[in-house]
């Protein structure tokens, strides 16, 4: 694919993303205020930009950890999810808030949510920046959702195409891609 033949169409502007994060942060802060500090776990690498911007807006004690799973193009069967990097902190008795960039088929989150419950977390909630509802293969309950997107491959704000575009401040879609 020639990089020159492609153009990025903006789907969600940086301003809309940041405004929605302010709303989500207020909701999360109010739900967890007064309880034990939640353990916020980001799914690497895509959630990093979103996690930092969101958590900086939350004014209650919380802990942060990361998990990395196999992703698109890994060559695994659909629905087969591998843990590439596990969390460092114990989950037993913790209120876990999982932060994911996008829920697509739902296979990744379905597996991770089940694993965290199995490990004895007191509660496991999911905050997803994007919900690609039209692509869902297994149902995954999203407690805090940023935006619903169409069934297209999106990029930017943590989401990559072959490791590119993660640092865009907005969410976009590639247009005009040709095989040259
Ligand atoms: P799922 O298991 O729900 O199908 O998708 C899990 C992972 O696939 C996401 O965390 C993300 O890394 C990747 N993914 C799914 N849809 C997209 C997309 O539209 N764009 C990008 N860049 N990654 C995606």
């Amino acid at each position: 694919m020639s990089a020159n033949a492609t153009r990025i169409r903006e789907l969600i502007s940086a301003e809309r993303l940041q405004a929605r994060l302010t709303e989500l942060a207020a909701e999360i802060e109010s739900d967890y205020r007064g309880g034990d500090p939640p353990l916020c776990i980001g799914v690497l690498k895509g959630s990093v930009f979103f996690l930092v911007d969101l958590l900086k807006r939350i004014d209650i004690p919380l802990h942060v950890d990361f998990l990395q799973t196999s992703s698109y193009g890994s060559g695994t069967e659909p629905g087969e999810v591998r843990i590439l990097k596990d969390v460092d902190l114990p989950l037993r008795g913790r209120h876990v808030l999982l932060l994911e960039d996008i829920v697509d088929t739902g296979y990744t989150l379905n597996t991770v949510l089940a694993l965290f419950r199995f490990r004895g977390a007191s509660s496991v909630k999911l905050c997803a920046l994007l919900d690609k509802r039209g692509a869902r293969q297994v149902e995954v309950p999203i407690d805090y959702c940023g935006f619903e997107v169409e069934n297209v491959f999106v990029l930017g704000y943590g989401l990559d195409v072959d490791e590119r575009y993660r640092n865009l401040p907005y969410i976009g879609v590639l247009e005009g891609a040709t095989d040259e």
Side-chain angles (χ1 to χ4, degrees):
M1 180 193 296
S2 160
N4 295 332
T6 59
R7 200 173 68 83
I8 300 171
R9 176 166 59 92
E10 183 177 285
L11 284 185
I12 307 171
S13 70
E15 293 72 24
R16 280 183 71 207
L17 284 172
Q18 297 303 320
R20 183 70 186 122
L21 291 193
T22 300
E23 292 173 353
L24 286 177
E27 219 181 306
I28 291 168
E29 182 177 311
S30 137
D31 288 354
Y32 285 94
R33 183 175 288 285
D36 293 334
L39 174 55
C40 303
I41 299 179
V43 183
L44 295 170
K45 304 174 191 172
S47 73
V48 168
F49 288 72
F50 153 55
L51 176 146
V52 169
D53 284 348
L54 179 78
L55 297 190
K56 279 193 296 188
R57 290 168 157 91
I58 297 180
D59 190 22
I60 54 169
L62 53 79
H63 299 157
V64 181
D65 206 342
F66 292 97
L67 173 91
Q68 188 166 14
T69 59
S70 60
S71 57
Y72 263 56
S74 65
T76 54
E77 291 297 312
E80 190 178 327
V81 175
R82 289 185 304 143
I83 306 293
L84 303 183
K85 184 224 168 285
D86 206 344
V87 290
D88 295 326
L89 300 172
L91 303 186
R92 180 161 301 281
R94 300 299 307 270
H95 292 294
V96 171
L97 178 61
L98 194 56
L99 300 170
E100 173 67 309
D101 48 9
I102 186 165
V103 184
D104 185 23
T105 61
Y107 289 133
T108 305
L109 269 298
N110 192 45
T111 304
V112 172
L113 289 169
L115 176 66
F116 285 3
R117 292 199 178 99
F118 175 77
R119 288 183 179 172
S122 295
S123 69
V124 186
K125 284 187 171 186
L126 170 61
C127 176
L129 179 64
L130 304 176
D131 179 5
K132 205 192 282 183
R133 181 141 288 282
R136 201 74 91 252
Q137 298 294 319
V138 286
E139 202 40 55
V140 170
I142 302 180
D143 300 282
Y144 308 97
C145 176
F147 300 88
E148 205 171 303
V149 289
E150 323 154 34
N151 196 359
V152 291
F153 197 79
V154 293
L155 56 89
Y157 200 55
L159 289 156
D160 73 312
V161 179
D162 295 333
E163 295 300 328
R164 288 186 65 194
Y165 306 114
R166 288 194 199 276
N167 56 330
L168 292 179
Y170 59 88
I171 300 284
V173 60
L174 280 183
E175 281 192 332
T178 56
D179 293 327
E180 290 180 357

